[in-house]
Amino acid sequence: MDNTSILLIYTGGTIGMKQDPISFDLRPFDFSQILEEMPELRKFGYNIETYSFNPVIDSSDVDIPFWKHLAELLEQNYEKYDGFVILHGTDTMSFSASAISFMLSNNEKPIIFTGSQLPIGMLRTDGKENLISSIEIAAAKDSQGHPMVPEVCIYFESHLYRGNRTTKYNAENFRAFRSANYPVLADVGIHIKYNTQFINYPKEWGKQLQVRTNMDPSALIIKITPGLRKDILESMLSIKGIRAVILETFGSGNAPSGKWFTECIKEAIDKGIIILNVTQCHAGKVDMGAYSTGKSLKDIGVIGGSDITTEAAMAKLLFLLGQYPDNKDVRLFLEKNLCGEISE
Ligand code: ASP
């Protein structure tokens, strides 16, 4: 028996569902049945312990208290386990992996989110491979005894991704996630090939884990579209209590060049609202110097989101707003790479 210990956390989602034999509806089953469904997990020889959220949730119901609970659970069990596997619905998995990556500083252990497109109880399920490989990755150590992947990740369909670089982009295919702006951390085939040059390793090991769970949800996403009405934009920017807005712009960070648009945004900035420019494109980055339509945003104080995903941008904003009551401090950290979410 290996002395590696893994904590398997079940939060909900398709992976833990069973089909009702009469109605064919998908219903969550008792988590203890996961080990019954997959006796092969015992073959690892690891000490695999389980924790189930109660109630388990569809990930569309994920909220800030859920993230707080998850972060605290990881903190309480951090010393006891070598790695963590979190079973989570795919719909908001990228948001959750991003949120946890910001909430945990100095993390040195593998925290692997996974799930599936088909329930684990179904014949063609992708859940079994996803779970088995996630456990193997969470347990993997290098020759010095350090974890191979000391990061918050998503493992899905043969690929290990940095969690805060991912987006769910396919609701049908087994390959549900993509990390368009950052290479995969590991490829899983006959062997697990770790791409160590892309994995974040601590400069020195043994730092104390720091967990900060305060979040402030006073942020909003505005996706720009051709024909956007002035009064609609104005009313969104004047919602009471809003501290920050993610402006989803075209291409490399471009927006309508009309005076009314720039004035609206400037007015919001003058009121102290943070405007973060994130591209609507699935790959590439915001460069507000490339076109005059982007440059005018830069000139009025819009912050460039570089190559951050919308999911990571939202999680980062909620986290920073929760940590700093003054938007000046939030601005300062927003442009910094906190845990691999943007390229430097
Ligand atoms: N609706 C489910 C969820 O996100 C889908 C899934 O698990 O893939 O919880």
Side-chain angles (χ1 to χ4, degrees), residues 328-344:
K328 277 198 200 105
D329 299 318
V330 176
R331 279 176 165 274
L332 214 68
F333 287 103
L334 205 49
E335 281 177 303
K336 291 203 167 99
N337 171 27
L338 302 183
C339 47
E341 76 282 5
I342 49 174
S343 305
E344 289 177 288

mmCIF file with all atom_site columns, all heavy atoms in Angstrom, residues 328-344:
data_model
loop_
_atom_site.group_PDB
_atom_site.id
_atom_site.type_symbol
_atom_site.label_atom_id
_atom_site.label_alt_id
_atom_site.label_comp_id
_atom_site.label_asym_id
_atom_site.label_entity_id
_atom_site.label_seq_id
_atom_site.pdbx_PDB_ins_code
_atom_site.Cartn_x
_atom_site.Cartn_y
_atom_site.Cartn_z
_atom_site.occupancy
_atom_site.B_iso_or_equiv
_atom_site.pdbx_formal_charge
_atom_site.auth_seq_id
_atom_site.auth_comp_id
_atom_site.auth_asym_id
_atom_site.auth_atom_id
_atom_site.pdbx_PDB_model_num
ATOM 1   N N   . LYS A 1 328 ? -9.003  51.824 -5.660  1.00 0.00 ? 328 LYS A N   1
ATOM 2   C CA  . LYS A 1 328 ? -7.623  52.153 -6.081  1.00 0.00 ? 328 LYS A CA  1
ATOM 3   C C   . LYS A 1 328 ? -6.732  50.938 -5.904  1.00 0.00 ? 328 LYS A C   1
ATOM 4   O O   . LYS A 1 328 ? -5.874  50.626 -6.721  1.00 0.00 ? 328 LYS A O   1
ATOM 5   C CB  . LYS A 1 328 ? -7.073  53.300 -5.219  1.00 0.00 ? 328 LYS A CB  1
ATOM 6   C CG  . LYS A 1 328 ? -7.504  54.648 -5.701  1.00 0.00 ? 328 LYS A CG  1
ATOM 7   C CD  . LYS A 1 328 ? -6.587  55.734 -5.111  1.00 0.00 ? 328 LYS A CD  1
ATOM 8   C CE  . LYS A 1 328 ? -7.275  57.068 -5.179  1.00 0.00 ? 328 LYS A CE  1
ATOM 9   N NZ  . LYS A 1 328 ? -7.781  57.564 -3.890  1.00 0.00 ? 328 LYS A NZ  1
ATOM 10  N N   . ASP A 1 329 ? -6.933  50.209 -4.788  1.00 0.00 ? 329 ASP A N   1
ATOM 11  C CA  . ASP A 1 329 ? -6.131  49.009 -4.532  1.00 0.00 ? 329 ASP A CA  1
ATOM 12  C C   . ASP A 1 329 ? -6.492  47.894 -5.513  1.00 0.00 ? 329 ASP A C   1
ATOM 13  O O   . ASP A 1 329 ? -5.631  47.151 -5.965  1.00 0.00 ? 329 ASP A O   1
ATOM 14  C CB  . ASP A 1 329 ? -6.354  48.518 -3.086  1.00 0.00 ? 329 ASP A CB  1
ATOM 15  C CG  . ASP A 1 329 ? -5.938  49.574 -2.080  1.00 0.00 ? 329 ASP A CG  1
ATOM 16  O OD1 . ASP A 1 329 ? -4.883  50.192 -2.287  1.00 0.00 ? 329 ASP A OD1 1
ATOM 17  O OD2 . ASP A 1 329 ? -6.693  49.797 -1.106  1.00 0.00 ? 329 ASP A OD2 1
ATOM 18  N N   . VAL A 1 330 ? -7.790  47.808 -5.822  1.00 0.00 ? 330 VAL A N   1
ATOM 19  C CA  . VAL A 1 330 ? -8.239  46.768 -6.757  1.00 0.00 ? 330 VAL A CA  1
ATOM 20  C C   . VAL A 1 330 ? -7.556  46.975 -8.113  1.00 0.00 ? 330 VAL A C   1
ATOM 21  O O   . VAL A 1 330 ? -7.020  46.034 -8.713  1.00 0.00 ? 330 VAL A O   1
ATOM 22  C CB  . VAL A 1 330 ? -9.781  46.791 -6.921  1.00 0.00 ? 330 VAL A CB  1
ATOM 23  C CG1 . VAL A 1 330 ? -10.251 45.781 -7.956  1.00 0.00 ? 330 VAL A CG1 1
ATOM 24  C CG2 . VAL A 1 330 ? -10.461 46.528 -5.581  1.00 0.00 ? 330 VAL A CG2 1
ATOM 25  N N   . ARG A 1 331 ? -7.537  48.221 -8.558  1.00 0.00 ? 331 ARG A N   1
ATOM 26  C CA  . ARG A 1 331 ? -6.901  48.559 -9.841  1.00 0.00 ? 331 ARG A CA  1
ATOM 27  C C   . ARG A 1 331 ? -5.455  48.086 -9.899  1.00 0.00 ? 331 ARG A C   1
ATOM 28  O O   . ARG A 1 331 ? -4.983  47.546 -10.893 1.00 0.00 ? 331 ARG A O   1
ATOM 29  C CB  . ARG A 1 331 ? -6.862  50.085 -10.027 1.00 0.00 ? 331 ARG A CB  1
ATOM 30  C CG  . ARG A 1 331 ? -8.125  50.673 -10.504 1.00 0.00 ? 331 ARG A CG  1
ATOM 31  C CD  . ARG A 1 331 ? -8.007  52.189 -10.567 1.00 0.00 ? 331 ARG A CD  1
ATOM 32  N NE  . ARG A 1 331 ? -9.096  52.701 -11.341 1.00 0.00 ? 331 ARG A NE  1
ATOM 33  C CZ  . ARG A 1 331 ? -9.083  52.808 -12.668 1.00 0.00 ? 331 ARG A CZ  1
ATOM 34  N NH1 . ARG A 1 331 ? -8.015  52.505 -13.361 1.00 0.00 ? 331 ARG A NH1 1
ATOM 35  N NH2 . ARG A 1 331 ? -10.135 53.233 -13.308 1.00 0.00 ? 331 ARG A NH2 1
ATOM 36  N N   . LEU A 1 332 ? -4.772  48.325 -8.785  1.00 0.00 ? 332 LEU A N   1
ATOM 37  C CA  . LEU A 1 332 ? -3.348  47.998 -8.684  1.00 0.00 ? 332 LEU A CA  1
ATOM 38  C C   . LEU A 1 332 ? -3.091  46.511 -8.943  1.00 0.00 ? 332 LEU A C   1
ATOM 39  O O   . LEU A 1 332 ? -2.177  46.141 -9.665  1.00 0.00 ? 332 LEU A O   1
ATOM 40  C CB  . LEU A 1 332 ? -2.906  48.344 -7.255  1.00 0.00 ? 332 LEU A CB  1
ATOM 41  C CG  . LEU A 1 332 ? -1.507  48.864 -7.056  1.00 0.00 ? 332 LEU A CG  1
ATOM 42  C CD1 . LEU A 1 332 ? -1.399  50.238 -7.693  1.00 0.00 ? 332 LEU A CD1 1
ATOM 43  C CD2 . LEU A 1 332 ? -1.232  48.969 -5.548  1.00 0.00 ? 332 LEU A CD2 1
ATOM 44  N N   . PHE A 1 333 ? -3.947  45.675 -8.360  1.00 0.00 ? 333 PHE A N   1
ATOM 45  C CA  . PHE A 1 333 ? -3.725  44.230 -8.467  1.00 0.00 ? 333 PHE A CA  1
ATOM 46  C C   . PHE A 1 333 ? -4.331  43.625 -9.727  1.00 0.00 ? 333 PHE A C   1
ATOM 47  O O   . PHE A 1 333 ? -3.928  42.556 -10.157 1.00 0.00 ? 333 PHE A O   1
ATOM 48  C CB  . PHE A 1 333 ? -4.287  43.508 -7.230  1.00 0.00 ? 333 PHE A CB  1
ATOM 49  C CG  . PHE A 1 333 ? -3.451  43.741 -6.013  1.00 0.00 ? 333 PHE A CG  1
ATOM 50  C CD1 . PHE A 1 333 ? -3.842  44.638 -5.033  1.00 0.00 ? 333 PHE A CD1 1
ATOM 51  C CD2 . PHE A 1 333 ? -2.243  43.067 -5.860  1.00 0.00 ? 333 PHE A CD2 1
ATOM 52  C CE1 . PHE A 1 333 ? -3.059  44.861 -3.913  1.00 0.00 ? 333 PHE A CE1 1
ATOM 53  C CE2 . PHE A 1 333 ? -1.446  43.279 -4.742  1.00 0.00 ? 333 PHE A CE2 1
ATOM 54  C CZ  . PHE A 1 333 ? -1.858  44.179 -3.766  1.00 0.00 ? 333 PHE A CZ  1
ATOM 55  N N   . LEU A 1 334 ? -5.302  44.337 -10.302 1.00 0.00 ? 334 LEU A N   1
ATOM 56  C CA  . LEU A 1 334 ? -6.015  43.800 -11.459 1.00 0.00 ? 334 LEU A CA  1
ATOM 57  C C   . LEU A 1 334 ? -5.080  43.565 -12.641 1.00 0.00 ? 334 LEU A C   1
ATOM 58  O O   . LEU A 1 334 ? -5.197  42.592 -13.371 1.00 0.00 ? 334 LEU A O   1
ATOM 59  C CB  . LEU A 1 334 ? -7.127  44.786 -11.843 1.00 0.00 ? 334 LEU A CB  1
ATOM 60  C CG  . LEU A 1 334 ? -8.328  44.245 -12.572 1.00 0.00 ? 334 LEU A CG  1
ATOM 61  C CD1 . LEU A 1 334 ? -8.914  43.016 -11.899 1.00 0.00 ? 334 LEU A CD1 1
ATOM 62  C CD2 . LEU A 1 334 ? -9.385  45.328 -12.704 1.00 0.00 ? 334 LEU A CD2 1
ATOM 63  N N   . GLU A 1 335 ? -4.123  44.477 -12.791 1.00 0.00 ? 335 GLU A N   1
ATOM 64  C CA  . GLU A 1 335 ? -3.214  44.365 -13.936 1.00 0.00 ? 335 GLU A CA  1
ATOM 65  C C   . GLU A 1 335 ? -2.084  43.377 -13.683 1.00 0.00 ? 335 GLU A C   1
ATOM 66  O O   . GLU A 1 335 ? -1.356  43.015 -14.597 1.00 0.00 ? 335 GLU A O   1
ATOM 67  C CB  . GLU A 1 335 ? -2.643  45.739 -14.268 1.00 0.00 ? 335 GLU A CB  1
ATOM 68  C CG  . GLU A 1 335 ? -3.630  46.572 -15.035 1.00 0.00 ? 335 GLU A CG  1
ATOM 69  C CD  . GLU A 1 335 ? -3.137  47.963 -15.313 1.00 0.00 ? 335 GLU A CD  1
ATOM 70  O OE1 . GLU A 1 335 ? -2.809  48.685 -14.343 1.00 0.00 ? 335 GLU A OE1 1
ATOM 71  O OE2 . GLU A 1 335 ? -3.064  48.340 -16.488 1.00 0.00 ? 335 GLU A OE2 1
ATOM 72  N N   . LYS A 1 336 ? -1.939  42.959 -12.417 1.00 0.00 ? 336 LYS A N   1
ATOM 73  C CA  . LYS A 1 336 ? -0.848  42.034 -12.089 1.00 0.00 ? 336 LYS A CA  1
ATOM 74  C C   . LYS A 1 336 ? -1.271  40.592 -12.329 1.00 0.00 ? 336 LYS A C   1
ATOM 75  O O   . LYS A 1 336 ? -2.430  40.237 -12.152 1.00 0.00 ? 336 LYS A O   1
ATOM 76  C CB  . LYS A 1 336 ? -0.473  42.184 -10.607 1.00 0.00 ? 336 LYS A CB  1
ATOM 77  C CG  . LYS A 1 336 ? 0.188   43.482 -10.290 1.00 0.00 ? 336 LYS A CG  1
ATOM 78  C CD  . LYS A 1 336 ? 1.021   43.336 -9.014  1.00 0.00 ? 336 LYS A CD  1
ATOM 79  C CE  . LYS A 1 336 ? 1.931   44.507 -8.860  1.00 0.00 ? 336 LYS A CE  1
ATOM 80  N NZ  . LYS A 1 336 ? 1.456   45.520 -7.945  1.00 0.00 ? 336 LYS A NZ  1
ATOM 81  N N   . ASN A 1 337 ? -0.294  39.779 -12.676 1.00 0.00 ? 337 ASN A N   1
ATOM 82  C CA  . ASN A 1 337 ? -0.543  38.341 -12.787 1.00 0.00 ? 337 ASN A CA  1
ATOM 83  C C   . ASN A 1 337 ? -0.470  37.760 -11.379 1.00 0.00 ? 337 ASN A C   1
ATOM 84  O O   . ASN A 1 337 ? 0.590   37.724 -10.765 1.00 0.00 ? 337 ASN A O   1
ATOM 85  C CB  . ASN A 1 337 ? 0.525   37.735 -13.707 1.00 0.00 ? 337 ASN A CB  1
ATOM 86  C CG  . ASN A 1 337 ? 0.468   36.235 -13.698 1.00 0.00 ? 337 ASN A CG  1
ATOM 87  O OD1 . ASN A 1 337 ? -0.588  35.639 -13.455 1.00 0.00 ? 337 ASN A OD1 1
ATOM 88  N ND2 . ASN A 1 337 ? 1.605   35.616 -13.966 1.00 0.00 ? 337 ASN A ND2 1
ATOM 89  N N   . LEU A 1 338 ? -1.597  37.303 -10.849 1.00 0.00 ? 338 LEU A N   1
ATOM 90  C CA  . LEU A 1 338 ? -1.610  36.822 -9.461  1.00 0.00 ? 338 LEU A CA  1
ATOM 91  C C   . LEU A 1 338 ? -1.267  35.345 -9.369  1.00 0.00 ? 338 LEU A C   1
ATOM 92  O O   . LEU A 1 338 ? -0.558  34.919 -8.474  1.00 0.00 ? 338 LEU A O   1
ATOM 93  C CB  . LEU A 1 338 ? -2.983  37.082 -8.816  1.00 0.00 ? 338 LEU A CB  1
ATOM 94  C CG  . LEU A 1 338 ? -3.463  38.527 -8.774  1.00 0.00 ? 338 LEU A CG  1
ATOM 95  C CD1 . LEU A 1 338 ? -4.791  38.627 -8.039  1.00 0.00 ? 338 LEU A CD1 1
ATOM 96  C CD2 . LEU A 1 338 ? -2.428  39.439 -8.113  1.00 0.00 ? 338 LEU A CD2 1
ATOM 97  N N   . CYS A 1 339 ? -1.820  34.532 -10.271 1.00 0.00 ? 339 CYS A N   1
ATOM 98  C CA  . CYS A 1 339 ? -1.522  33.093 -10.207 1.00 0.00 ? 339 CYS A CA  1
ATOM 99  C C   . CYS A 1 339 ? -1.620  32.448 -11.575 1.00 0.00 ? 339 CYS A C   1
ATOM 100 O O   . CYS A 1 339 ? -2.292  31.437 -11.740 1.00 0.00 ? 339 CYS A O   1
ATOM 101 C CB  . CYS A 1 339 ? -2.408  32.393 -9.177  1.00 0.00 ? 339 CYS A CB  1
ATOM 102 S SG  . CYS A 1 339 ? -4.136  32.821 -9.274  1.00 0.00 ? 339 CYS A SG  1
ATOM 103 N N   . GLY A 1 340 ? -0.945  33.061 -12.521 1.00 0.00 ? 340 GLY A N   1
ATOM 104 C CA  . GLY A 1 340 ? -0.857  32.453 -13.847 1.00 0.00 ? 340 GLY A CA  1
ATOM 105 C C   . GLY A 1 340 ? -2.043  32.703 -14.750 1.00 0.00 ? 340 GLY A C   1
ATOM 106 O O   . GLY A 1 340 ? -2.166  32.104 -15.814 1.00 0.00 ? 340 GLY A O   1
ATOM 107 N N   . GLU A 1 341 ? -2.943  33.622 -14.346 1.00 0.00 ? 341 GLU A N   1
ATOM 108 C CA  . GLU A 1 341 ? -4.168  33.837 -15.144 1.00 0.00 ? 341 GLU A CA  1
ATOM 109 C C   . GLU A 1 341 ? -3.940  34.704 -16.373 1.00 0.00 ? 341 GLU A C   1
ATOM 110 O O   . GLU A 1 341 ? -4.773  34.706 -17.285 1.00 0.00 ? 341 GLU A O   1
ATOM 111 C CB  . GLU A 1 341 ? -5.286  34.412 -14.248 1.00 0.00 ? 341 GLU A CB  1
ATOM 112 C CG  . GLU A 1 341 ? -5.167  35.890 -13.872 1.00 0.00 ? 341 GLU A CG  1
ATOM 113 C CD  . GLU A 1 341 ? -4.151  36.167 -12.747 1.00 0.00 ? 341 GLU A CD  1
ATOM 114 O OE1 . GLU A 1 341 ? -3.471  35.227 -12.327 1.00 0.00 ? 341 GLU A OE1 1
ATOM 115 O OE2 . GLU A 1 341 ? -4.051  37.339 -12.329 1.00 0.00 ? 341 GLU A OE2 1
ATOM 116 N N   . ILE A 1 342 ? -2.841  35.492 -16.375 1.00 0.00 ? 342 ILE A N   1
ATOM 117 C CA  . ILE A 1 342 ? -2.517  36.283 -17.583 1.00 0.00 ? 342 ILE A CA  1
ATOM 118 C C   . ILE A 1 342 ? -1.046  36.070 -17.948 1.00 0.00 ? 342 ILE A C   1
ATOM 119 O O   . ILE A 1 342 ? -0.222  35.766 -17.088 1.00 0.00 ? 342 ILE A O   1
ATOM 120 C CB  . ILE A 1 342 ? -2.802  37.816 -17.415 1.00 0.00 ? 342 ILE A CB  1
ATOM 121 C CG1 . ILE A 1 342 ? -2.199  38.372 -16.113 1.00 0.00 ? 342 ILE A CG1 1
ATOM 122 C CG2 . ILE A 1 342 ? -4.259  38.129 -17.495 1.00 0.00 ? 342 ILE A CG2 1
ATOM 123 C CD1 . ILE A 1 342 ? -2.330  39.888 -15.981 1.00 0.00 ? 342 ILE A CD1 1
ATOM 124 N N   . SER A 1 343 ? -0.753  36.271 -19.216 1.00 0.00 ? 343 SER A N   1
ATOM 125 C CA  . SER A 1 343 ? 0.637   36.120 -19.657 1.00 0.00 ? 343 SER A CA  1
ATOM 126 C C   . SER A 1 343 ? 1.385   37.413 -19.390 1.00 0.00 ? 343 SER A C   1
ATOM 127 O O   . SER A 1 343 ? 0.814   38.497 -19.547 1.00 0.00 ? 343 SER A O   1
ATOM 128 C CB  . SER A 1 343 ? 0.685   35.792 -21.152 1.00 0.00 ? 343 SER A CB  1
ATOM 129 O OG  . SER A 1 343 ? -0.099  34.659 -21.399 1.00 0.00 ? 343 SER A OG  1
ATOM 130 N N   . GLU A 1 344 ? 2.631   37.262 -18.990 1.00 0.00 ? 344 GLU A N   1
ATOM 131 C CA  . GLU A 1 344 ? 3.413   38.488 -18.695 1.00 0.00 ? 344 GLU A CA  1
ATOM 132 C C   . GLU A 1 344 ? 4.327   38.835 -19.856 1.00 0.00 ? 344 GLU A C   1
ATOM 133 O O   . GLU A 1 344 ? 4.622   38.007 -20.679 1.00 0.00 ? 344 GLU A O   1
ATOM 134 C CB  . GLU A 1 344 ? 4.206   38.286 -17.413 1.00 0.00 ? 344 GLU A CB  1
ATOM 135 C CG  . GLU A 1 344 ? 3.267   38.280 -16.231 1.00 0.00 ? 344 GLU A CG  1
ATOM 136 C CD  . GLU A 1 344 ? 3.969   38.023 -14.915 1.00 0.00 ? 344 GLU A CD  1
ATOM 137 O OE1 . GLU A 1 344 ? 4.379   36.884 -14.689 1.00 0.00 ? 344 GLU A OE1 1
ATOM 138 O OE2 . GLU A 1 344 ? 4.092   38.958 -14.117 1.00 0.00 ? 344 GLU A OE2 1
#
